[in-house]
Amino acid sequence: MIKCEVIKEFTLERYNELKNIQRRRIDTKGKLYVGDTFECDKEMADYLMGDNKDRQVVVKVIEVEPKVNISKETIEEGNKIISDGLKEMIFGENILKEKPKKKKSSKK
């Protein structure tokens, strides 16, 4: 996501595509005022920064949040490392030693 700040008042037909809109003054749906901030995708940011039919720049980018792709395996491995680390902190060096299994006695 890209965080933008409005530098020139404008109306936007695709207003519902904007996220986390923070108003500086009046709250009018579809219209943004100087100082308002919001988050949008790259396509919308490009459009508002001059990639439109009128070539008008109405926002400036103030922050770009990197898109992070993390696989399920990476998350599971990270959770295991954290879990093992916590066990080691709690139980000391005995983490690798497993308790012997109890033998069942058979009564005949």
Side-chain angles (χ1 to χ4, degrees):
M1 294 303 270
I2 299 172
K3 189 168 186 177
C4 299
E5 182 178 344
V6 178
I7 58 173
K8 184 177 180 184
E9 273 186 33
F10 68 97
T11 56
L12 185 63
E13 195 171 304
R14 296 167 33 196
Y15 177 83
N16 61 339
E17 294 179 29
L18 305 179
K19 308 263 190 266
N20 300 326
I21 300 171
Q22 296 178 347
R23 300 294 194 156
R24 293 285 300 242
R25 53 181 210 182
I26 304 168
D27 186 8
T28 307
K29 186 172 183 172
K31 188 162 186 170
L32 293 146
Y33 300 94
V34 176
D36 291 350
T37 59
F38 58 88
E39 292 178 359
C40 62
D41 61 8
K42 183 182 180 332
E43 179 188 338
M44 178 65 79
D46 289 342
Y47 177 79
L48 297 173
M49 290 180 52
D51 189 14
N52 53 51
K53 67 178 183 175
D54 297 331
R55 301 282 182 220
Q56 288 188 358
V57 178
V58 293
V59 300
K60 67 178 179 180
V61 173
I62 55 176
E63 184 180 341
V64 177
E65 296 176 14
K67 190 173 187 176
V68 179
N69 292 328
I70 300 175
S71 69
K72 185 176 180 181
E73 292 81 22
T74 304
I75 292 171
E76 288 171 358
E77 185 177 327
N79 287 341
K80 183 182 181 317
I81 290 169
I82 291 170
S83 176
D84 288 349
L86 289 174
K87 287 179 188 173
E88 188 173 340
M89 285 173 34
I90 295 169
F91 300 112
E93 296 179 357
N94 296 331
I95 185 172
L96 300 176
K97 297 179 182 176
E98 292 184 21
K99 293 182 179 179
K101 294 181 180 178
K102 293 182 178 179
K103 294 184 180 179
K104 294 183 180 178
S105 60
S106 60
K107 295 181 181 178
K108 292 186 180 179

